[in-house]
Protein backbone atom coordinates (compact mmCIF):
# COMPACT_ATOMS: atom_id res chain seq x y z
CA UNK A 1 0.00 0.00 0.00
CA UNK A 2 1.12 3.54 -0.71
CA UNK A 3 1.89 5.97 2.08
CA UNK A 4 -0.88 8.59 2.01
CA UNK A 5 0.01 12.05 3.34
CA UNK A 6 -2.71 14.16 1.74
CA UNK A 7 -6.39 14.08 0.89
CA UNK A 8 -7.02 16.56 -1.92
CA UNK A 9 -10.53 17.83 -2.60
CA UNK A 10 -11.33 18.91 -6.15
CA UNK A 11 -14.35 19.85 -8.21
CA UNK A 12 -14.64 18.36 -11.69
CA UNK A 13 -15.01 21.89 -13.13
CA UNK A 14 -17.79 20.58 -15.33
CA UNK A 15 -21.52 20.29 -15.26
CA UNK A 16 -22.90 19.02 -11.94
CA UNK A 17 -25.08 16.57 -13.84
CA UNK A 18 -22.11 14.83 -15.46
CA UNK A 19 -22.16 11.06 -15.22
CA UNK A 20 -19.26 8.82 -14.28
CA UNK A 21 -18.79 7.83 -17.96
CA UNK A 22 -18.71 11.57 -18.84
CA UNK A 23 -15.99 12.18 -16.25
CA UNK A 24 -13.94 9.15 -17.36
CA UNK A 25 -14.22 10.27 -20.99
CA UNK A 26 -12.66 13.66 -20.18
CA UNK A 27 -9.56 11.98 -18.75
CA UNK A 28 -9.26 9.71 -21.76
CA UNK A 29 -9.52 12.78 -24.01
CA UNK A 30 -6.59 14.26 -22.07
CA UNK A 31 -4.70 11.09 -22.95
CA UNK A 32 -4.30 10.11 -19.31
CA UNK A 33 -4.04 6.44 -18.43
CA UNK A 34 -5.62 6.94 -14.99
CA UNK A 35 -8.41 9.22 -13.88
CA UNK A 36 -7.59 12.35 -11.92
CA UNK A 37 -9.58 11.26 -8.89
CA UNK A 38 -9.89 8.21 -6.71
CA UNK A 39 -13.48 9.09 -5.77
CA UNK A 40 -16.19 11.32 -7.23
CA UNK A 41 -19.26 12.52 -5.34
CA UNK A 42 -22.21 13.09 -7.65
CA UNK A 43 -24.88 15.74 -7.10
CA UNK A 44 -27.22 13.10 -5.61
CA UNK A 45 -24.60 12.25 -2.96
CA UNK A 46 -23.58 8.90 -4.44
CA UNK A 47 -19.85 8.22 -4.21
CA UNK A 48 -18.10 6.37 -7.05
CA UNK A 49 -14.60 4.97 -6.98
CA UNK A 50 -12.66 5.73 -10.18
CA UNK A 51 -9.28 4.40 -9.07
CA UNK A 52 -8.31 2.10 -6.22
CA UNK A 53 -6.59 3.93 -3.36
CA UNK A 54 -3.57 1.69 -3.96
CA UNK A 55 -3.11 3.26 -7.42
CA UNK A 56 -1.82 6.71 -8.29
CA UNK A 57 -4.41 9.11 -9.75
CA UNK A 58 -3.52 12.20 -11.79
CA UNK A 59 -4.86 14.76 -9.31
CA UNK A 60 -2.04 17.11 -8.28
CA UNK A 61 1.27 17.09 -10.09
CA UNK A 62 4.12 16.34 -7.72
CA UNK A 63 1.82 14.94 -5.01
CA UNK A 64 0.04 12.08 -6.75
CA UNK A 65 2.30 9.44 -5.22
CA UNK A 66 1.16 10.35 -1.69
CA UNK A 67 -2.40 11.65 -2.17
CA UNK A 68 -5.97 10.46 -2.34
CA UNK A 69 -7.95 12.68 -4.73
CA UNK A 70 -11.66 13.24 -4.19
CA UNK A 71 -13.88 15.41 -6.40
CA UNK A 72 -17.46 16.56 -6.41
CA UNK A 73 -19.23 16.75 -9.75
CA UNK A 74 -19.70 20.34 -10.78
CA UNK A 75 -18.03 23.56 -9.94
CA UNK A 76 -18.78 25.14 -13.28
CA UNK A 77 -21.91 26.99 -14.28
CA UNK A 78 -24.01 24.97 -16.68
Amino acid sequence: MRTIKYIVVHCTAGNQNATIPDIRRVFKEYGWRNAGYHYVVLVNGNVHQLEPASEVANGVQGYNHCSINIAWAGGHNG
Side-chain angles (χ1 to χ4, degrees):
M1 184 63 155
R2 302 182 303 127
T3 299
I4 304 302
K5 295 182 181 180
Y6 305 101
I7 296 173
V8 182
V9 179
H10 307 263
C11 69
T12 62
N15 188 301
Q16 70 178 4
N17 295 314
T19 64
I20 294 302
D22 294 336
I23 293 166
R24 286 189 184 277
R25 183 173 41 259
V26 169
F27 290 112
K28 288 189 187 250
E29 289 171 358
Y30 289 155
W32 294 359
R33 182 178 60 116
N34 293 340
Y37 320 120
H38 292 92
Y39 302 95
V40 173
V41 183
L42 296 180
V43 70
N44 65 4
N46 289 341
V47 178
H48 294 269
Q49 185 174 17
L50 298 184
E51 298 290 341
S54 60
E55 297 293 321
V56 174
N58 294 319
V60 180
Q61 185 175 3
Y63 293 90
N64 293 326
H65 68 285
C66 61
S67 297
I68 296 293
N69 293 281
I70 302 169
W72 77 87
H76 186 270
N77 293 336

